[in-house]
Amino acid sequence: MTREILTIQLGHYANFIGTHWWNLQTSNFTYNPKDLAEIDHGVLYREGENLQKQVTFTPRVLMADLKGGTGSIYEHSILYDTEPTSIEATSNNQLWNDEQLDIISAEIPNLEISTHTLNKLDKANDSTLTFSENDTKSWVDYLLPLFHPRSLTVIKEYSHNCTNRPFDIFTYGCNLWTTEQFSDDFSNNIRSYVEECDLMQGFQVLMDSTDGFAGLGASCIQHLHDEYGKSILAFPCINFNNAEPSASDLIKVVNTALCWQNIGEHSSLYSPLSCGQVGWPFAADPRKFDNITYKAELKYHSSAILATALDTLTLRYRTKKYPNVSLSDLCADLNKLGRKAAATSLSLPFPMKMKMDLIDMLDEVEGPLWTSLTPSCDIPMDDNMQSIVLRGISQDRMKRPIQQANKQISKPAYRCSSVHEMMTFYLACTCHASATYFSDIEAPLKIVDPYPKIFNNNVTEDGSIANWSVGNDVKSIAVMAGMHSNGSIAAMYETLLKQTKRIRSIKKFHSFTDSGLDEDEFAECIHNLQDCKETYENHYI
């Protein structure tokens, strides 16, 4: 039986990530029930029926963004709407007096490439429709799937990119949650999704952690914890920032510190995500990958990388191959001894060279196989509690048949009979003092528009690495991603703690104190960071 999960996305950048994530799932979705798909789509999708009695599959997701942050999207999905009724059709049953009717004209927004255009591109394969990175002013500009009407909540009390009344303080989000209108509406939407589920696993929460959505997300997670008691996996997101340092950076630091304190208390596990090497949030270098080139300052690019990691690492509890593995298993493996934080890693693409087998590739690789996506945290190959997922390596790329094995036959790994067995053997040999849960699926990740063109020219159509420029569009790739709990996370807390201690008194930031944060609560937040840092310094492996 499918064990469902509800995904919650809170914040503009979180929705950038979530949009790429749902796009990837849509591109890899299998509608044919007779198809032996490896992924159980029912974990994150719900089956429904529109007003035309057509079966629909929509993401089981709730999203929130500020007014003006949703671009051209309708507040309610058109999936379940009927055709609009014309004025002429209702003229015989008029409900108003024409002579007393005031008509107010509103300017029609300039819709560039929108959700519906992309759906036409996807479904009709219309070569005249193209996608441009320059059109991605909002996450809805490259959104593929249609959502259920209850999925999107637009916060009308605040406007996106508003300088007069910005939604930039942690306590603003906490206070918004306590308002009757938002709390009742959003919690009712959560309950409606939960009551539809037969055997619910828990919740995935993506949230911006540097503005008011940090407080909104923390309040939402506390509500989920108190109301449902299910597993909660949280991803506080930090957009890469290469701007010069400013006073507002310290506000973002405080928001992040308060966010981590609260979600650390009420979530089962959380992993901060960022494409920046340092996340708090001063000018710093972006994470580097050997075979991709991206613009870290462009949300459309950085969010695609983070979404690719999420789509792969969550396969552990979304595949038919491992029907008894749940979200709670992942959280229980990594939150030992009160360690609620974990680091996220990604290998994009997994570095399989052309015409090379997995056994030879693993024998030649030097250094870590992955790149950290958690700020101020470099993930070692050893001393880890870790969950790793690999997708896209088929059995025929594992090793040569015995008649053609040559030097391979002398390697101990040649005795392995599956990709899972070979990778488990490799991780046991290279991660000596680590406890690893490894899972894999054979299907690669399909790459279609509007995924950004970030792969280097040496990446082939099927994601293999060549020693020369290929120049073909990448259509599928092998990916490895994971979550790791290790002592290096202490450095993540230490860098945030160092920045937070620069603030001698929270009273200097009137927006925090005026909205309800007092000096004692801020001091408690600093102590929490110190305690978390010390928790990860106690090497237990």
Side-chain angles (χ1 to χ4, degrees):
M1 181 181 291
T2 295
R3 290 174 290 181
E4 303 92 345
I5 290 175
L6 172 61
T7 303
I8 298 176
Q9 299 166 198
L10 303 172
H12 198 61
Y13 189 57
N15 283 321
F16 262 84
I17 299 170
T19 297
H20 275 299
W21 190 3
W22 296 115
N23 285 353
L24 287 171
Q25 293 182 70
T26 299
S27 303
N28 291 267
F29 203 98
T30 303
Y31 292 90
N32 186 356
K34 296 181 180 180
D35 194 342
L36 300 177
E38 296 176 273
I39 301 173
D40 185 355
H41 299 297
V43 175
L44 299 184
Y45 281 75
R46 63 181 295 278
E47 183 177 331
E49 188 177 84
N50 63 14
L51 294 180
Q52 286 74 40
K53 304 300 182 182
Q54 297 169 325
V55 176
T56 62
F57 294 93
T58 54
R60 189 180 297 106
V61 62
L62 288 174
M63 305 170 291
D65 207 338
L66 304 182
K67 182 174 62 176
T70 57
S72 60
I73 200 172
Y74 298 110
E75 185 171 347
H76 297 288
S77 169
I78 65 166
L79 183 61
Y80 291 86
D81 292 348
T82 56
E83 291 295 325
T85 306
S86 66
I87 294 177
E88 290 80 9
T90 59
S91 59
N92 294 329
N93 190 23
Q94 216 161 352
L95 301 179
W96 58 79
N97 187 337
D98 287 340
E99 296 179 355
Q100 299 178 0
L101 179 65
D102 293 330
I103 300 177
I104 301 174
S105 299
E107 182 181 354
I108 298 175
N110 180 22
L111 306 184
E112 294 177 351
I113 184 162
S114 66
T115 305
H116 310 298
T117 304
L118 285 171
N119 274 288
K120 290 178 183 177
L121 174 62
D122 181 51
K123 295 175 182 178
N125 193 25
D126 187 346
S127 60
T128 63
L129 297 175
T130 58
F131 179 80
S132 172
E133 294 180 4
N134 297 326
D135 296 325
T136 58
K137 298 179 178 63
S138 174
W139 51 272
V140 300
D141 292 327
Y142 59 93
L143 177 66
L144 285 180
L146 293 169
F147 293 118
H148 189 275
R150 76 168 73 102
S151 287
L152 177 61
T153 297
V154 177
I155 300 171
K156 296 180 173 133
E157 292 86 345
Y158 295 89
S159 295
H160 181 63
N161 285 337
C162 178
T163 56
N164 296 328
R165 190 169 178 258
F167 190 59
D168 61 345
I169 301 296
F170 177 87
T171 40
Y172 289 176
C174 297
N175 295 338
L176 177 63
W177 180 267
T178 61
T179 60
E180 183 176 351
Q181 180 178 0
F182 183 89
S183 179
D184 288 351
D185 290 348
F186 204 82
S187 58
N188 285 339
N189 286 337
I190 293 173
R191 186 178 298 109
S192 295
Y193 271 126
V194 171
E195 289 176 352
E196 290 177 352
C197 299
D198 295 322
L199 189 62
M200 190 175 190
Q201 295 187 52
F203 305 89
Q204 299 172 152
V205 183
L206 278 73
M207 51 192 287
D208 291 0
S209 66
T210 60
D211 56 20
F213 282 104
L216 187 67
S219 299
C220 178
I221 288 173
Q222 182 176 355
H223 170 78
L224 298 176
H225 175 269
D226 295 342
E227 191 74 16
Y228 299 103
K230 300 287 185 179
S231 297
I232 304 171
L233 177 58
F235 295 97
C237 309
I238 302 172
N239 182 29
F240 176 78
N241 181 13
N242 61 351
E244 291 299 319
S246 66
S248 64
D249 289 336
L250 287 178
I251 294 177
K252 296 177 182 179
V253 166
V254 176
N255 289 333
T256 302
L258 291 168
C259 175
W260 290 11
Q261 177 192 10
N262 283 270
I263 65 175
E265 181 179 353
H266 298 107
S267 67
S268 307
L269 186 71
Y270 74 96
S271 181
L273 295 179
S274 178
C275 281
Q277 294 186 25
V278 180
W280 341 115
F282 307 106
D285 295 329
R287 294 290 184 183
K288 295 181 180 179
F289 296 82
D290 290 337
N291 297 295
I292 65 175
T293 302
Y294 69 104
K295 301 174 184 176
E297 68 280 2
L298 192 62
K299 293 185 181 72
Y300 168 64
H301 276 195
S302 62
S303 59
I305 293 173
L306 300 180
T308 304
L310 292 178
D311 188 60
T312 299
L313 69 87
T314 57
L315 286 174
R316 168 173 173 172
Y317 50 82
R318 295 197 293 123
T319 62
K320 298 176 182 178
K321 186 176 181 179
Y322 309 103
N324 297 320
V325 178
S326 65
L327 175 60
S328 61
D329 295 328
L330 170 65
C331 296
D333 284 352
L334 300 183
N335 64 7
K336 304 293 186 184
L337 302 179
R339 296 181 169 190
K340 288 288 190 75
T344 295
S345 68
L346 177 66
S347 179
L348 176 71
F350 189 71
M352 287 286 290
K353 294 182 179 179
M354 288 184 63
K355 300 180 181 180
M356 179 176 280
D357 299 314
L358 179 63
I359 188 172
D360 295 323
M361 174 257 163
L362 295 176
D363 197 38
E364 292 184 7
V365 70
E366 296 181 1
L369 267 177
W370 47 69
T371 299
S372 174
L373 292 179
T374 295
S376 299
C377 179
D378 294 321
I379 306 168
M381 287 288 287
D382 221 343
D383 297 328
N384 284 307
M385 302 286 289
Q386 57 191 11
S387 172
I388 297 174
V389 180
L390 173 65
R391 67 177 304 167
I393 305 298
S394 59
Q395 290 293 111
D396 58 3
R397 296 232 29 205
M398 184 177 68
K399 61 182 181 180
R400 300 285 175 179
I402 193 168
Q403 299 86 353
Q404 307 169 17
N406 298 325
K407 294 182 179 180
Q408 288 184 1
I409 202 167
S410 63
K411 299 176 182 180
Y414 191 81
R415 298 180 180 88
C416 298
S417 58
S418 66
V419 171
H420 185 278
E421 186 178 354
M422 185 173 290
M423 283 299 303
T424 302
F425 180 62
Y426 169 79
L427 292 170
C429 293
T430 54
C431 307
H432 305 287
S434 296
T436 304
Y437 185 97
F438 178 78
S439 41
D440 69 298
I441 66 171
E442 188 167 322
L445 182 67
K446 296 177 184 176
I447 301 297
V448 299
D449 283 340
Y451 196 91
K453 309 294 185 184
I454 58 177
F455 297 100
N456 292 348
N457 288 332
N458 65 323
V459 182
T460 66
E461 189 176 287
D462 66 354
S464 297
I465 310 302
N467 294 324
W468 59 89
S469 178
V470 178
N472 294 332
D473 286 341
V474 177
K475 294 185 177 179
S476 65
I477 53 171
V479 186
M480 187 172 75
M483 297 184 72
H484 315 255
S485 179
N486 56 68
S488 67
I489 295 176
M492 176 188 74
Y493 282 112
E494 184 176 8
T495 55
L496 181 58
L497 178 63
K498 182 179 178 180
Q499 295 296 336
T500 309
K501 283 184 173 180
R502 294 175 60 197
I503 303 172
R504 301 300 181 185
S505 174
I506 197 63
K507 293 180 180 179
K508 294 181 178 179
F509 295 88
H510 302 294
S511 296
F512 283 101
T513 54
D514 292 346
S515 56
L517 183 71
D518 58 38
E519 197 73 40
D520 290 339
E521 289 175 312
F522 180 64
E524 183 183 347
C525 176
I526 294 178
H527 289 301
N528 174 262
L529 289 177
Q530 183 68 44
D531 291 342
C532 291
K533 171 179 170 290
E534 293 174 355
T535 298
Y536 281 90
E537 287 176 338
N538 298 325
H539 299 287
Y540 65 96
I541 297 181

